[in-house]
Amino acid sequence: MGFLRSRSAVTPLRRNGSATATTVSLSSGRRTTVTQAVALHRPEEPMHCIRPGVLADTAESFVAAFGEATASVGRGGDVLYAVKCNPEPAVLRALWAGGVRHFDVASPGEIRLIRQMFPEAVLHYMHPVKGRQAIRAAYQQYGVRDFVLDSREELDKILEETDGAADLGLVVRLALPKGNAVYDLSGKFGAAMADAVELLRAVRAAAPKVGVSFHVGSQMLDPAAYERALALAGRVIAEAGVTIDVLDVGGGFPVSYPGVTPPPLGDFMAAIARGVAALGLPETCRVWCEPGRALVAPGVSLVVQVVKRRGDELFINDGVYGALSDAGVPGFRFPARMIRPFEAMTDAGGVEFSFYGPTCDSADRMNGPFLLPADIKAGDWIELGQLGAYGSCLRTAFNGFDQAKVVEVADAPLLETPGYLLRSCAA
Ligand SMILES: Cc1ncc(COP(=O)(O)O)c(C=O)c1O
């Protein structure tokens, strides 16, 4: 019956040497449900409910869909999971079980963790601004060969710290104009067109494998954004006059949230296939993508407890300094259901609530609204879904609220995203 672990904030990357100790059985036969776990453990701390079956199925669907899309235009495709999104070992194991073999890593901690857990994994260092020691260790100690960059200084650093290695894969990250993703990522990284052209020529002269990458922004709801970005990449490649070996369309693939149903995954894959086909690249050019949110959001939920009710405001035991940072200023809403295992649920109808988190900061507020039964009260539990992406990994220890439980469950996701699941999960 669902075995429970305790977890303080940000531990997965800190637990050097112990990451492999977590055992995840993907046979869901003996796994508990969220309601059973609440009844058994009566958690007074937030409880993260990992759905290994959902994660593995989502990964399998995504890898298959991307493989079919790239094969339809005569190219090989690789799905790189963006580890920053959720580095919890149980999550990583489930993705591995679903067929993910490539990882977008962006820090020494992520590199160590993945190499330790999966010695055969292919690691790609996709942070455009890296420390010198980090580059050296990645290449010399951890077998990383692919590095992203967006400036000449970064190229020089990579060449120096790998002692002019002859087996590098160098990927130029392009700047994109501000788009309409929920999380815009256009400002921080990326080479502008003219610089990207120069950089592409320089990396072609320095490495046997070169590529171009971009990121359309996270939770991108418009499939055509990938086609527009691919067209820009095509202009850079044509102007540089070089052949490329890798075209990396980044992450950004969206999931469902209350009131938001994205176009089906197939529409994004079709847009990518059209965009790649239009570039007329050599058949040997592989296509990569770097999904984070799409692979893991539906596979983890969070159970919180109501500590106090004040009208339509609920004081709960997790908040914006914990796993619910996206519910704060970014204003994300999450699917919510009340869990009351020891009393009959009344048919009280739904009411819109906002939440306060446990810290003493008044900014620890989540407007929602979160739709819950009108008679909800202190002591009840709430399950919030779609929290596998950028939730648990953004937790802090602020105000001492750093403890959480982690349990593996067999439930289906609280919300499904069109086209992401090959088969429905055991409930
Ligand atoms: C370089 C890179 N790749 C992939 C991702 C994952 O993006 P998403 O979760 O939107 O798929 C990110 C997220 O910030 C990123 O910075």
Side-chain angles (χ1 to χ4, degrees), residues 26 54-64 66 77-83 86 91-105 114 117-124 289-292 294-296:
L26 286 169
V54 173
L55 291 160
D57 282 356
T58 307
E60 199 179 331
S61 297
F62 196 101
V63 169
F66 193 69
D78 300 309
V79 174
L80 287 51
Y81 169 58
V83 176
N86 191 332
V91 169
L92 296 169
R93 275 177 211 289
L95 297 180
W96 183 269
V100 173
R101 295 292 177 271
H102 293 253
F103 294 86
D104 153 10
V105 285
I114 301 296
M117 288 184 68
F118 312 115
E120 320 91 274
V122 188
L123 274 57
H124 310 263
C289 64
E290 305 167 14
L295 295 193
V296 295

Side-chain angles (χ1 to χ4, degrees), residues 82 84 104 126 173 185 215 218 251-253 290-293 390:
K84 60 181 79 70
D104 153 10
M126 302 313 281
R173 167 102 175 240
L185 295 177
H215 197 301
S218 200
F253 303 91
E290 305 167 14
R293 182 186 307 275
Y390 309 110

Side-chain angles (χ1 to χ4, degrees), residues 37 83 90 95 109 124 173 190 195 221 224 237 260 270 317 320 323 328 401:
V83 176
L95 297 180
H124 310 263
R173 167 102 175 240
D195 296 337
L221 294 163
I237 296 161
V260 180
N317 61 354
V320 305
F401 293 103

Side-chain angles (χ1 to χ4, degrees), residues 58 61-62 65 262-266 416-422:
T58 307
S61 297
F62 196 101
L265 180 62
E416 290 207 5
T417 304
Y420 278 50
L421 283 182
L422 285 174

Side-chain angles (χ1 to χ4, degrees), residues 235-326:
R235 288 199 289 281
V236 170
I237 296 161
E239 200 165 323
V242 301
T243 53
I244 62 158
D245 309 288
V246 173
L247 188 54
D248 177 358
V249 302
F253 303 91
V255 298
S256 299
Y257 292 102
V260 180
T261 304
L265 180 62
D267 290 8
F268 290 87
M269 295 302 159
I272 290 168
R274 278 195 303 274
V276 171
L279 301 189
L281 299 169
E283 274 180 20
T284 49
C285 179
R286 290 191 78 79
V287 185
W288 294 354
C289 64
E290 305 167 14
R293 182 186 307 275
L295 295 193
V296 295
V300 186
S301 65
L302 177 72
V303 170
V304 296
Q305 191 172 30
V306 180
V307 184
K308 168 183 166 157
R309 175 171 178 177
R310 187 173 71 186
D312 58 3
E313 297 171 323
L314 302 177
F315 290 68
I316 60 173
N317 61 354
D318 205 0
V320 305
Y321 297 99
L324 292 170
S325 58
D326 273 345

Side-chain angles (χ1 to χ4, degrees), residues 87-171:
E88 165 65 43
V91 169
L92 296 169
R93 275 177 211 289
L95 297 180
W96 183 269
V100 173
R101 295 292 177 271
H102 293 253
F103 294 86
D104 153 10
V105 285
S107 65
E110 290 181 358
I111 291 172
R112 271 196 308 275
L113 177 71
I114 301 296
R115 185 51 82 222
Q116 181 185 42
M117 288 184 68
F118 312 115
E120 320 91 274
V122 188
L123 274 57
H124 310 263
Y125 204 158
M126 302 313 281
H127 194 310
V129 183
K130 298 169 280 299
R132 283 183 175 274
Q133 286 176 17
I135 296 169
R136 180 160 286 272
Y139 183 86
Q140 308 289 357
Q141 274 175 264
Y142 296 103
V144 179
R145 293 294 174 266
D146 296 335
F147 296 84
V148 80
L149 57 129
D150 65 1
S151 68
R152 184 73 219 201
E153 301 100 271
E154 190 72 12
L155 172 59
D156 292 343
K157 243 191 315 181
I158 294 168
L159 296 178
E160 284 162 24
E161 295 304 328
T162 58
D163 301 325
D167 58 353
L168 293 175
L170 297 178
V171 178

